Amino acid sequence: MKIAVFDSKSYDIESFNETKEQYIKEIGTDELSVVLDFQFFEDRLTEKTVKLAYGFDAVCVFVNDEVNRQVIDALVEYGVGMIALRCAGFNNVDVAYAKNRIKVVRVPAYSPYAVAEHAMAMLLTLNRKTNKAYIRTRDHNFRLDGLVGFDLHGKTVGVIGTGKIGQVFMDICRGFGMNILAYDKYPNEKLQVEYVDLKEIYERSDIISLHCPLTDDTYHIINSKAIKRMKKGVIILNTSRGALIDASALLEGIRDKEIGGACLDVYEEEAEVFYEDQSEMIPTDEVLSNLIMMPNVIVTSHQAFLTKEALNNIAYTTITNLKDWYSGRELVNEVSV
Ligand code: NAD
């Protein structure tokens, strides 16, 4: 089975090759007849690059590949039978259009710890300014002015989306002695948490962390109207999907000092810039450049998932998805709408 892996980086190649070897050892000789021939492309899958998929049985894509109608038409025409997402979110695939034409599978969970821990790491960095302290001490500047943070203990965090990642994040926050408020369109009655409506999340939270998927409902869930309701000085964390936040409204809120800080692992227009070294290029996205320039904004390049454990789990589940399809077994991770 030939699989074209798009938007692949050195760590993807390493984890896929390692996991494939491990997988083959584990499943025994019976299944060795299934040969997974991965070919790795650095390019993202888009209308321009879809030609690369010609001659492959499946494509494997990540968060910023653009699997729209045109791309799906081309894949179907080339005889590609499966789109294997190596992530949980599938907002970048037109799943409805793919229905009954090409299979779509995903990795529903690979390490909620990776993402939740990164969210807390960003919050701690922003609050305690360890990024700035690190640069100062490297320069033998041992002054502390401008590095004052606040105790997280006793502060209220509003968590939007209480699925796998949101739950781990809430556990971490509990460990810090924080008060937790939660909002979810489908509240989980089993969780010991105070569910409130969005209005109350905005009005009562010192920190708001987004852990819901990007859907029509959640697009720009954080917009200027929501920001106006929030406590002055609120800190916003987004490790979920960029388009949950209206970035221009966020920038305005920061400029007006209504928002006390933002930790962004994702950004609405990230597809053109994240995962690339653009350090020698003139920036073209003014909103992103302005956000990065703010002293109270931290941006990471959609890296919350990036732990050894998560990469291995992504590779393992993706290989299982591909092998199940090849063997005609039920696709437990199929995405359908
Ligand atoms: P999950 O499916 O376990 O949980 C999502 C939760 O959001 C569910 O409880 C669901 O009921 C809730 N939800 C759905 N619609 C909602 C709405 N309109 N308003 C509020 N809540 C709503 O997913 P997860 O594994 O916890 O992942 C959450 C998100 O994290 C993913 O959708 C993905 O976008 C993002 N993610 C980011 C990274 C990264 O590297 N930054 C990695 C993995 C996942």
Side-chain angles (χ1 to χ4, degrees), residues 71-131:
V71 169
I72 290 169
D73 283 341
L75 292 175
V76 171
E77 189 192 319
Y78 300 160
V80 175
M82 170 167 276
I83 299 162
L85 282 147
R86 47 185 200 282
C87 52
F90 48 87
N91 50 284
N92 54 332
V93 178
D94 192 333
V95 179
Y97 193 68
K99 197 173 180 174
N100 300 326
R101 304 182 72 210
I102 185 166
K103 297 279 181 201
V104 184
V105 287
R106 67 176 181 138
V107 180
Y110 39 88
S111 172
Y113 311 104
V115 182
E117 287 171 14
H118 189 78
M120 182 49 88
M122 291 187 88
L123 174 60
L124 287 170
T125 306
L126 184 88
N127 173 28
R128 302 305 299 271
K129 305 174 175 49
T130 40
N131 51 338

Side-chain angles (χ1 to χ4, degrees), residues 2-13 16 38-67 71 75 78 80 82-86 92 275-276 318:
K2 289 185 74 184
I3 306 120
V5 186
F6 284 87
D7 202 9
S8 56
K9 303 286 183 272
S10 59
Y11 44 82
D12 295 309
I13 300 173
F16 266 75
F38 290 111
Q39 193 160 329
F40 296 93
F41 295 103
E42 267 216 37
D43 309 68
R44 288 187 298 121
L45 177 60
T46 63
E47 284 167 47
K48 280 192 193 143
T49 62
V50 67
K51 283 194 190 81
L52 292 168
Y54 185 80
F56 285 86
D57 300 297
V59 291
C60 181
V61 300
F62 199 45
V63 291
N64 289 324
D65 293 287
E66 293 164 22
V67 195
V71 169
L75 292 175
Y78 300 160
V80 175
M82 170 167 276
I83 299 162
L85 282 147
R86 47 185 200 282
N92 54 332
Y275 301 137
E276 303 300 332
T318 303

Side-chain angles (χ1 to χ4, degrees), residues 273 275-283:
V273 286
Y275 301 137
E276 303 300 332
D277 178 0
Q278 301 211 333
S279 53
E280 295 299 319
M281 293 162 78
I282 305 296

Side-chain angles (χ1 to χ4, degrees), residues 88-89 91 106 108-110 112 115 160-166 183-187 210-215 217-218 221 239-241 265-266 275 302-306:
N91 50 284
R106 67 176 181 138
Y110 39 88
V115 182
I160 300 181
T162 57
K164 293 176 284 296
I165 296 169
Y183 170 76
D184 197 300
K185 191 173 177 188
Y186 311 100
L210 300 172
H211 299 290
C212 56
L214 175 62
T215 62
D217 279 350
T218 59
I221 192 168
T239 54
S240 211
R241 283 293 181 268
D265 183 51
V266 285
Y275 301 137
H302 206 141
Q303 75 168 78
F305 72 99
L306 198 64

Side-chain angles (χ1 to χ4, degrees), residues 64-293:
N64 289 324
D65 293 287
E66 293 164 22
V67 195
N68 58 21
R69 286 170 175 234
Q70 287 74 14
V71 169
I72 290 169
D73 283 341
L75 292 175
V76 171
E77 189 192 319
Y78 300 160
V80 175
M82 170 167 276
I83 299 162
L85 282 147
R86 47 185 200 282
C87 52
F90 48 87
N91 50 284
N92 54 332
V93 178
D94 192 333
V95 179
Y97 193 68
K99 197 173 180 174
N100 300 326
R101 304 182 72 210
I102 185 166
K103 297 279 181 201
V104 184
V105 287
R106 67 176 181 138
V107 180
Y110 39 88
S111 172
Y113 311 104
V115 182
E117 287 171 14
H118 189 78
M120 182 49 88
M122 291 187 88
L123 174 60
L124 287 170
T125 306
L126 184 88
N127 173 28
R128 302 305 299 271
K129 305 174 175 49
T130 40
N131 51 338
K132 296 177 186 178
Y134 169 79
I135 291 166
R136 281 192 196 180
T137 54
R138 278 176 69 93
D139 199 26
H140 284 240
N141 173 356
F142 298 106
R143 290 186 68 99
L144 297 183
D145 322 55
L147 300 184
V148 179
F150 59 83
D151 287 4
L152 289 180
H153 184 94
K155 297 295 181 300
T156 298
V157 60
V159 176
I160 300 181
T162 57
K164 293 176 284 296
I165 296 169
Q167 286 174 41
V168 176
F169 184 72
M170 291 192 291
D171 283 345
I172 294 172
C173 291
R174 277 189 199 100
F176 277 79
M178 301 173 80
N179 307 314
I180 299 165
L181 298 175
Y183 170 76
D184 197 300
K185 191 173 177 188
Y186 311 100
N188 180 345
E189 302 306 333
K190 289 189 197 129
L191 298 180
Q192 303 276 328
V193 67
E194 183 183 352
Y195 276 108
V196 294
D197 60 19
L198 272 177
K199 184 171 164 283
E200 212 170 327
I201 289 270
Y202 297 149
E203 286 169 1
R204 289 175 56 195
S205 303
D206 302 299
I207 295 141
I208 294 174
S209 195
L210 300 172
H211 299 290
C212 56
L214 175 62
T215 62
D216 290 346
D217 279 350
T218 59
Y219 175 78
H220 285 187
I221 192 168
I222 305 293
N223 52 23
S224 51
K225 203 169 148 206
I227 291 169
K228 280 197 183 78
R229 286 187 185 276
M230 293 177 193
K231 273 190 175 180
K232 194 175 168 66
V234 63
I235 290 177
I236 297 176
L237 314 183
N238 190 5
T239 54
S240 211
R241 283 293 181 268
L244 295 176
I245 296 185
D246 176 346
S248 302
L250 178 76
L251 181 61
E252 202 180 310
I254 287 170
R255 281 184 169 144
D256 294 347
K257 302 196 176 107
E258 291 302 323
I259 293 173
C263 302
L264 309 174
D265 183 51
V266 285
Y267 173 68
E268 185 166 3
E269 303 300 331
E270 71 180 46
E272 296 301 323
V273 286
F274 279 18
Y275 301 137
E276 303 300 332
D277 178 0
Q278 301 211 333
S279 53
E280 295 299 319
M281 293 162 78
I282 305 296
T284 51
D285 185 328
E286 276 189 32
V287 175
L288 179 62
S289 297
N290 282 323
L291 282 169
I292 289 172
M293 264 168 25

